[in-house]
């Protein structure tokens, strides 16, 4: 999606360690109007017939997922990273490895909010190793819900998460796939 | 706000320990249409002239803050709870005590996204002890930004956070203030 690629080139910052900072418009300060354009693009890319919910993981996916849910007229459900005692029994759970926190994290979702009658779209702001998204797919499976697809704003194409998800047959669309990023600039998939 | 009070009575659950669960529509599974109505109510309650940003804290405040930002046509910025190394220097910081995690947590916000020219509205889903909101006010002060006010969906009126913030002269509006909640039902402020 050219609009997003242009914004990444204009405002993104490449840091050592393959970190691409897009926190001026995507995951710290959020350009909500841009999120609306991304949501509309997902609406074009996916067949959302019978959609019942948009799913994401806390925290930085929530903003984009909220605008998608608003655009598509369904609720948004976000999986939590286990740490609070405010959620009692009746949970779907999936263990993932968080590269941000550098430790195992358990994603949890109350089972009363997702079941076999649901048709869901998974949304996230960023895809690198794909652990959080793998956990969400796991939770959708535990619920017996149908996964329509997975929409991601920015994918790091040089990491393995996207490839693994696509090899499982998941209908994954990333709106900007970064193939390489260094001091000479950012190259997106399709530009090589 | 009657719409929100009715929803809390209909769908909220009172648990031991003064926990009021509203995770079916506010902070786990989110009714985005309800968030839009709350945002419109904030638009009526506050003078948003010159508003430049909506601020909140991760994670559960992000959804309501995003819809508010969408409604008011400004970006949304969420303070993070320090744990990631993806944010380098140039930070506003405020230490708070998290009753959810039962430990000290440092709120951080990149200083490049907030400064003296900003006029901001703080939004959160829940107000109990008010530590997270106190931290956000602290960050707004560090930035030299102007605080228009603070909008909260659900306040626990029997805890001290709201009173402390109001005593500081903060223009705080909570759309539903719960005065008591037990097996006999929920009483909102103004109903006693």
């Amino acid at each position: 999606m050219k609009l997003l690629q242009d914004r990444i080139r204009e405002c993104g910052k490449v840091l050592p360690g393959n970190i691409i900072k897009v926190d001026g418009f995507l995951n710290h300060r959020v350009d909500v109007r841009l999120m609306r354009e991304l949501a509309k693009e997902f609406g074009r890319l996916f067949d959302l017939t019978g959609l019942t919910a948009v799913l994401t993981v806390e925290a930085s996916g929530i903003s984009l997922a909220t605008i998608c849910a608003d655009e598509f007229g369904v609720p948004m459900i976000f999986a939590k990273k286990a740490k609070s005692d405010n959620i009692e029994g009746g949970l779907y759970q999936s263990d993932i490895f968080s590269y941000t926190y550098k430790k195992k994290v358990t994603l949890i979702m109350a089972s009363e909010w997702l079941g076999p009658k649901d048709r869901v779209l998974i949304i996230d702001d960023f895809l690198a190793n794909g652990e959080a998204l793998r956990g969400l797919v796991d939770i959708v499976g535990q619920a017996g819900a149908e996964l329509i697809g997975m929409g991601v704003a920015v994918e790091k194409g040089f990491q393995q998460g996207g490839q693994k998800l696509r090899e499982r047959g998941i209908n994954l669309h990333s709106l900007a796939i970064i193939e390489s990023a260094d001091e000479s600039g950012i190259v997106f998939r399709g530009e090589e």
Side-chain angles (χ1 to χ4, degrees), chain A residues 41-57:
Chain A
E41 183 70 7
F42 289 132
R44 287 184 282 266
L45 289 167
F46 294 103
D47 174 5
L48 298 175
T49 310
L51 183 75
T52 62
V54 169
L55 305 189
T56 192
V57 186

Side-chain angles (χ1 to χ4, degrees), chain A residues 91-126:
Chain A
L91 297 174
Y92 305 123
Q93 299 189 26
S94 183
D95 290 337
I96 63 168
F97 183 80
S98 167
Y99 290 85
T100 306
Y101 309 153
K102 297 185 175 50
K103 63 175 183 180
K104 192 198 82 167
V105 168
T106 302
L107 300 188
I108 55 177
M109 184 177 290
S111 55
E112 63 187 312
W113 309 127
L114 198 65
K117 291 181 179 168
D118 282 301
R119 274 173 63 83
V120 301
L121 178 68
I122 291 174
I123 292 287
D124 212 354
D125 59 326
F126 228 92

Side-chain angles (χ1 to χ4, degrees), chain A residues 2 6-7 12 14 19 64 72 89 108-109 132 136 141 144 146 155:
Chain A
K2 186 169 185 307
D6 288 349
R7 183 66 76 87
V14 179
I19 292 171
L64 177 57
F72 307 145
I108 55 177
M109 184 177 290
L136 274 183
E146 184 183 347
E155 177 181 340

Side-chain angles (χ1 to χ4, degrees), chain A residues 22-40 42 54-72 74-79 123-126 151 153:
Chain A
V22 287
D23 71 346
F25 58 95
L26 187 63
N27 52 19
H28 185 24
R29 179 182 186 269
V30 179
D31 180 342
V32 179
R33 288 182 194 181
L34 178 65
M35 297 306 104
R36 179 70 61 181
E37 295 307 312
L38 305 190
K40 287 178 180 170
F42 289 132
V54 169
L55 305 189
T56 192
V57 186
E58 65 174 352
S60 60
I62 294 177
S63 195
L64 177 57
T66 296
I67 295 295
C68 288
D70 187 58
E71 183 71 20
F72 307 145
V74 296
M76 186 277 294
I77 311 172
F78 63 94
I123 292 287
D124 212 354
D125 59 326
F126 228 92

